[in-house]
Amino acid sequence: MAQISQDNRGLRLVVRYSVLCLIAAIFSFPLIFMVVSSLKPSEQLLADAHSFRALLPVGDISLNNYFDAFKRAPVALFVFNSVLVTGVTVIASLALCSVAAFAFTFVNWKGRDLALTVILATLIVPFETIAIPLLLEASKLPWIGLDGITWGWLNSYRVQIVPFIADGLTIYLFVQYFKDLPAELIEAARVEGASWFAIYRRIVMPLSGPVLATAAILKFLAMYNQYLWPIMVTQEEQYRPVMVGLQYFFQLNRAWGEIMAYLSLITVPVLAFYLYLQKAFIASIASTGVKG
Amino acid sequence: MAGITLKGLKKSYGTAHVIKGVDIDIEDGEFVVFVGPSGCGKSTLLRMIAGLEDISAGELSIGGKVVNDLPPKDRGVAMVFQSYAIFPHMSVRENVGFGLTIAGASKAEKAEKVANAARILQMEHLLDRRPSQLSGGQRQRVAIGRAIVRNPQVFLFDEPLSNLDAALRMDMRLEIGKLHQQLGATMIYVTHDQVEAMTLADKIVVLKDGMVQQIGSPMELYHDPANLFVAGFLGSPAMNFLDVDVTAVNGSKVLVSNAALKPVEITAKVGGFSAGGKAKLGIRPQYLTPVDSGGMLQGRIALTERLGSETVVDLTLGDGTRLIAALARDAVFPIGADLGLTFDAAQAHIFPQ
Ligand SMILES: Nc1ncnc2c1ncn2[C@@H]1O[C@H](COP(=O)(O)OP(=O)(O)OP(=O)(O)O)[C@@H](O)[C@H]1O
Ligand SMILES: [Mg+2]
């Protein structure tokens, strides 16, 4: 008996790890291909594409594509713009949506369920359908800046940030998570004299590490991959993000090596963010003892 | 001073009426226990007092002030929850001092009060631990510590001991009793456990279906239950009820009998009996004594439980009714044998049917 179950466990482990390795391989192939290709001249890149050499840094390897990419487009500016817009939006969105979800979950007020339903209903509205009206609105909005009141938000960072701060999906994620927090924790804090804001800051947020990480990743990806909206609202290069910058490499002569170099570069912030969150995620679970 | 008055208190969830008009007067410093079957509204009533549930109708005052619309933090109450509700991300010290932190107390004041609470509850050595490193009993102490540190006028406990094992429950029960004496605060305590209710309470409130059945001291309720429900709810094993025929009524004296019971005169505490009618006769198992001959009741032994200090005998009467007798001291009764029993008519209760 014992012998059999032991063998079983070993076999199960082998199967489990094989499956995990396979999945990991499937997901890493494109990344490896991208980085490897970015080191090859375009002709060799295309020639290698049909063999396993596509995944190996062999042949005429150099960083030339990277230099050329920088020459062709203001890569640093695009990355800066995207990181700025994405970072500000992620932080503002987590703050705003978690407060909203808190009010929807813990505070009793008239019309609460209706309001939440309306917000959740926005999840099924694709952005493309509201893009044009939104553009018209944005072009007319006032802004108070250093030079007094100006009209129109086009060609700015704010027009890429503000529309995406409040978002139904993020609110929904927080609401779902908050519902699973033990209600008695909130009640105990209320009886102990805590205001709603104190409960939010001292009880709910410290226990929300897992959902903060999840919502941050989703928001980060959505914002970093923005293409349609920035192309509509930024005519000036100064405010353009990375995905719009990709266009520069498809004009005139198309150089696949440079494209791969550019893509490798703009992937760096994403990887850095993932690694950071992974650490924060594990730390938050370890310190609270609340399982996500 | 923080007496509490509930006047016609009601609570409904939509069309579900959970609390149906409750009047209770609680004096300052009193220890009041709410008991009742599961779902009768004990927790709801307690949460209404805490301010965690809205009051649908009626008036609630604490310390002479109507607090219906005050949020929990302005009612001067502390609450201990069944699940302890300790904040998992804070150390024991931070948990106990939470109310003081919120109130903006100085570091020194907080340190002193937390240390004091820890001393009362004998948990000084636990202060730097995380809740996940505590046993159930220790968590319960932390929850109580968090409640006493603000020195509130009123303590509310919702089945605080139900997650503990029997031995620990008894320890904590004694400690809560001691705490009440030390602090002299008003305490309201919800429980399923009769022993907790009987030993801790100055006053017991028996609830059923959102209505008060009886309010009184433990002994009043035990000796003078106002109705069948209270009579059957308090006491262990539960009171025996026999369906009897009323043969004569003379003032408060009611003569009853049935096929298995010889005629006996009982003094009724309530009215509503008439000769030729039916009634329920209640006899506590402890008041039955075996006799060799001439017993008032005759039954066949179906089961016996020897607990050492007493022997619980389960009998079937001639008319098929089940009767439990709790006989003092250890004794051996053969199963299947006939047993004659007698009881003190002054300790029996009669309720109209
Ligand atoms: N939010 C709610 N909506 C509708 N009904 C509710 C709600 N909360 C409680 N109830 C109902 O109110 C009644 C009383 O509940 P309560 O929790 O006060 O019972 P209890 O006496 O504390 O029971 P227990 O001893 O099991 O804890 C129950 O029938 C319950 O179903
Ligand atoms: Mg309850």
Side-chain angles (χ1 to χ4, degrees), chain A residues 111-130:
Chain A
R112 177 177 79 167
D113 294 344
L114 180 69
L116 184 60
T117 310
V118 170
I119 287 180
L120 294 188
T122 64
L123 288 181
I124 57 167
V125 179
F127 180 74
E128 285 74 6
T129 58
I130 61 163

Side-chain angles (χ1 to χ4, degrees), chain B residues 13 16 18-19 36-45 53 82 158-159 190 192:
Chain B
Y13 295 103
V18 175
I19 301 291
S38 190
C40 70
K42 305 179 294 287
S43 298
T44 307
L45 199 54
E53 301 280 355
Q82 181 175 359
D158 193 353
E159 307 203 26
V190 167
H192 267 112

Side-chain angles (χ1 to χ4, degrees), chain B residues 94-105:
Chain B
E94 289 164 333
N95 261 288
V96 174
F98 182 77
L100 298 172
T101 309
I102 291 294

Side-chain angles (χ1 to χ4, degrees), chain B residues 211-269:
Chain B
M211 282 181 296
V212 173
Q213 299 296 306
Q214 191 174 4
I215 303 179
S217 73
M219 288 310 132
E220 272 166 26
L221 265 58
Y222 188 80
H223 293 300
D224 284 325
N227 57 34
L228 263 179
F229 178 78
V230 177
F233 192 77
L234 288 179
S236 170
M239 189 185 278
N240 295 296
F241 291 113
L242 305 180
D243 288 311
V244 292
D245 303 313
V246 178
T247 47
V249 180
N250 178 10
S252 65
K253 308 263 187 235
V254 182
L255 191 66
V256 298
S257 65
N258 73 8
L261 173 75
K262 293 183 181 159
V264 54
E265 192 177 68
I266 311 287
T267 307
K269 309 236 166 60

Side-chain angles (χ1 to χ4, degrees), chain A residues 108 182-196 198-199 201-204 206-207 287-290, chain B residues 47 50-52 54 72-73 77-79 81-90 98-99 101-102 130 146-147 150:
Chain A
N108 255 323
E184 290 193 339
L185 289 184
I186 314 304
E187 293 175 345
R190 287 180 66 197
V191 174
E192 286 298 307
S195 62
W196 286 121
I199 293 172
R201 194 170 74 83
R202 292 176 185 275
I203 310 291
V204 173
L207 296 175
S287 82
T288 60
V290 172
Chain B
R47 294 161 52 81
L52 296 171
D54 297 334
K73 65 190 175 78
V77 302
M79 185 155 171
F81 294 82
Q82 181 175 359
S83 66
Y84 316 140
I86 304 178
F87 308 126
H89 57 296
M90 299 180 191
F98 182 77
T101 309
I102 291 294
R130 292 255 158 197
R146 189 174 62 193
R150 283 183 304 130

